[in-house]
Amino acid sequence: MQLAVYLAVVFEIIFVNLLTADSCSKRRYSGAITALSLAGFSIVLVAAAMLLLGLLPFFGNGNGLFVFLGFLYLLPLYKLYEGPLRRCIIVMCCAWIYTLSAFAVSVHLSRALHPGEGFENVALLVQSVIFLLLTPRFLRFVRRRFLPVLEGMEQSTSLNLLKTSICWFVTIFCIHFAFVFPRYMVLRLLALVVTAYNALLCYRLLDTTVSGAQRIRSLQRTVYSDSLTGLRNRLCLYRDAEALLRDKRPFCFLYLDLDRFKTVNDQYGHLVGDEYLIAFSKAAQTALGEDGTLYRIAGDEFSALCPFGEPEALARRLAQVSPSLGRKPFLGVSVGCARYPEDSGSLDALIGQADSDMYRRKRLKYPEEK
């Protein structure tokens, strides 16, 4: 390539890489100090690279060897920006993959459009157009999608991502290099080997990610479920109810309290009391069917969210539940209800109304307990 065009190509790539780093990291110093430091480092690095790479017989043929000098930027970037070194490397690998891909496409497209001497001018033009059109979208993707995922990664997953990112960079370079020197079979073999290894790393990263997601789902089941009955718990009730309120979906809230449950514990013991709760939970959820979901709030108190069905009919259906307890009698359950949005627009108010309605019905059943 002509020296001026070659320098323009290199500095354009450096600018996009550093713009990515600055957009995705927090500076330790002012913008002026950071910019001057990186500009000075770039001038020295490019001048040294020109002297060293200029000694090579294939200098300026679009081979892209200069991109490996980008790894030297890790030192100033680590000193100028906050964050661990691993994060810095992953972010820069993402930028290098993007800029190397743009460079490779521009070189090979320019050779196709303008074979022979002078292709470097076309390559610079194509690369500039690619960066102008795609860089804003690339930066938006990195900030909005890539970084949030990176920040929430486990250490093992981020390590696999680091390996995969570096391997993708090497893969693209090997493929590009094999195109530049098509007569060297060893380069094509190297490109195939690196691509195969990269595929293996991608599967390993996918396995780590899926395993992490499975652990999260398992933890969510533990957090949102009642250990005794297997029903959803109070925390899950608030989560599900807030979702219904947020979507403004009408629903019925039912509050259930087992009648005289303390008598069961006192007479038969807590183990039998647990069996009593489990049996009722199964029978009540079966009675609800697809009309709603049953939750265990605490002790002998339950609730249900019912997006479907008529409130009074649902309350009667649950009040008539009679689980099989062997020789032990089922002492009944009292049910109160409230409707959204007719009765209230907040969950706490609905709970209060359903609770009051449940105690009103319980007093009607057991007036002597007033």
Side-chain angles (χ1 to χ4, degrees):
M1 287 186 178
Q2 298 172 355
L3 183 59
V5 176
Y6 187 84
L7 287 174
V9 169
V10 171
F11 276 111
E12 196 172 57
I13 291 174
I14 290 174
F15 175 77
V16 173
N17 286 337
L18 296 182
L19 180 63
T20 304
D22 189 74
S23 301
C24 302
S25 307
K26 185 178 180 180
R27 303 188 194 108
R28 297 181 188 270
Y29 309 101
S30 67
I33 293 176
T34 302
L36 288 173
S37 300
L38 291 173
F41 183 84
S42 299
I43 292 172
V44 173
L45 181 63
V46 171
M50 289 298 168
L51 292 176
L52 293 175
L53 295 178
L55 300 176
L56 298 175
F58 43 78
F59 173 74
N61 69 344
N63 56 70
L65 280 174
F66 68 89
V67 298
F68 283 99
L69 296 176
F71 284 92
L72 297 176
Y73 275 93
L74 290 174
L75 179 59
L77 290 175
Y78 181 63
K79 295 296 183 181
L80 293 171
Y81 294 92
E82 297 181 3
L85 180 60
R86 180 181 297 179
R87 181 186 184 280
C88 181
I89 297 175
I90 292 175
V91 170
M92 288 312 299
C93 277
C94 184
W96 294 333
I97 290 169
Y98 166 61
T99 52
L100 176 58
S101 299
F103 170 76
V105 169
S106 65
V107 167
H108 299 298
L109 185 58
S110 65
R111 286 184 181 276
L113 296 174
H114 192 283
E117 297 295 329
F119 81 94
E120 60 270 10
N121 297 308
V122 180
L124 175 60
L125 177 62
V126 173
Q127 178 179 278
S128 300
V129 171
I130 291 174
F131 284 149
L132 185 63
L133 294 177
L134 298 184
T135 299
R137 296 183 180 182
F138 169 73
L139 292 176
R140 191 160 53 246
F141 164 78
V142 172
R143 287 195 296 264
R144 295 182 180 179
R145 300 290 183 88
F146 186 71
L147 286 183
V149 172
L150 181 60
E151 300 296 343
M153 269 187 186
E154 297 179 350
Q155 187 172 358
S156 60
T157 307
S158 67
L159 179 59
N160 284 332
L161 177 61
L162 174 62
K163 294 177 182 178
T164 306
S165 299
I166 293 175
C167 193
W168 265 117
F169 172 76
V170 175
T171 299
I172 295 172
F173 177 81
C174 288
I175 294 173
H176 167 68
F177 213 66
F179 275 117
V180 173
F181 299 100
R183 64 182 180 275
Y184 295 111
M185 178 64 70
V186 65
L187 293 178
R188 282 179 280 175
L189 291 175
L190 179 62
L192 288 174
V193 170
V194 174
T195 303
Y197 180 68
N198 195 28
L200 180 63
L201 285 180
C202 288
Y203 281 118
R204 187 173 180 180
L205 178 62
L206 179 62
D207 175 68
T208 305
T209 305
V210 171
S211 298
Q214 289 174 340
R215 288 195 299 272
I216 291 173
R217 285 195 295 270
S218 177
L219 181 61
Q220 285 179 332
R221 284 194 294 268
T222 302
V223 170
Y224 288 120
S225 64
D226 177 62
S227 58
L228 176 65
T229 63
L231 296 175
R232 302 182 185 189
N233 59 16
R234 177 191 290 268
L235 187 61
C236 191
L237 166 68
Y238 276 86
R239 184 198 66 177
D240 295 348
E242 289 297 337
L244 291 172
L245 292 170
R246 187 167 54 250
D247 296 339
K248 300 186 182 303
R249 292 177 55 193
F251 65 91
C252 168
F253 179 82
L254 302 177
Y255 202 99
L256 299 79
D257 184 75
L258 293 177
D259 297 334
R260 297 175 174 175
F261 180 68
K262 186 176 182 299
T263 303
V264 177
N265 276 334
D266 292 343
Q267 185 173 352
Y268 300 104
H270 288 282
L271 290 178
V272 173
D274 288 347
E275 294 175 358
Y276 192 96
L277 291 170
I278 294 171
F280 169 76
S281 300
K282 293 179 180 178
Q285 185 59 71
T286 301
L288 273 179
E290 296 182 357
D291 291 331
T293 303
L294 189 67
Y295 304 81
R296 186 187 179 201
I297 303 304
D300 59 346
E301 298 177 1
F302 298 79
S303 65
L305 290 176
C306 304
F308 309 102
E310 198 278 322
E312 288 298 329
L314 291 170
R316 286 194 299 272
R317 192 192 307 173
L318 288 173
Q320 294 170 0
V321 166
S322 182
S324 175
L325 299 168
R327 296 182 179 181
K328 305 174 188 65
F330 178 67
L331 303 181
V333 59
S334 298
V335 185
C337 64
R339 299 169 299 171
Y340 169 82
E342 290 87 343
D343 295 328
S344 180
S346 73
L347 179 59
D348 290 337
L350 289 170
I351 292 175
Q353 283 200 354
D355 185 47
S356 299
D357 186 47
M358 181 272 295
Y359 276 111
R360 179 184 63 80
R361 299 180 191 229
K362 188 182 287 284
R363 286 193 295 269
L364 291 175
K365 289 167 63 177
Y366 307 104
E368 70 279 5
E369 295 183 3
K370 290 183 179 180

